[in-house]
Amino acid sequence: MTDDGRRIGYAATAVAAAIPLLLAGAGAAGAMGGNDPAWAHFVSDSNSITAHVDQSQGMTDCRVAAQGAASSDIHETDWTSDEWITVWVPPGRYTATLLCRSDMSGPDGWIVRQEPVNAPPTYPEGVIDFIETNTN
C-alpha cells in the first residue's frame, strides 16, 4: 500500500473513532442508559412494555427486547419505524432494551436505552412514567 493509501486508511479510522464523540456532543449517546427520557422511554402495564421513540432525533429503525430472569425468557419485536413499539410479556420483572440502527450501526443496532421494568409497574415506576410522559 502506498503512503497515500495509508493516509486515507488512517483518516477513515480517525473519522470512525470521532463519530461516537460527535454523537455524544449531539446528545445521542446521552440517551444511552436512559439519561434523556424525552428521546426514548419505557412504560409498562400488566402484559406489555412499550418504548416511545422520539423520531425527531433521527431514531427511525428500532426494536424492543425484554429479558426476564431466565436467559431463555426473551421477548422481542421486529425492527420498525413506529414511534411507539410494544412487546407483549407475561407479568414479571424484565430488562427492557431499545435498540436502534442506522447505516453506521450495523445490523444489530446500538442500545439507546436499557433499564429494569416491571409488568405491571410498581407504584414508583407508575409515577416516573407519569412524569416522563404525562400518562400512566
Side-chain angles (χ1 to χ4, degrees), residues 33-100:
N35 294 330
D36 191 348
W39 284 23
H41 61 267
F42 294 109
V43 294
S44 62
D45 63 19
S46 62
N47 63 352
S48 68
I49 299 169
T50 300
H52 175 256
V53 180
D54 184 354
Q55 294 178 339
S56 70
Q57 300 302 319
M59 296 184 293
T60 58
D61 194 14
C62 302
R63 70 186 287 169
V64 174
Q67 182 172 354
S71 61
S72 61
D73 187 13
I74 299 174
H75 309 270
E76 56 191 9
T77 66
D78 291 330
W79 292 101
T80 181
S81 59
D82 294 343
E83 185 175 358
W84 294 92
I85 307 168
T86 300
V87 62
W88 302 98
V89 297
R93 184 157 180 81
Y94 296 90
T95 298
T97 305
L98 174 66
L99 298 134
C100 295

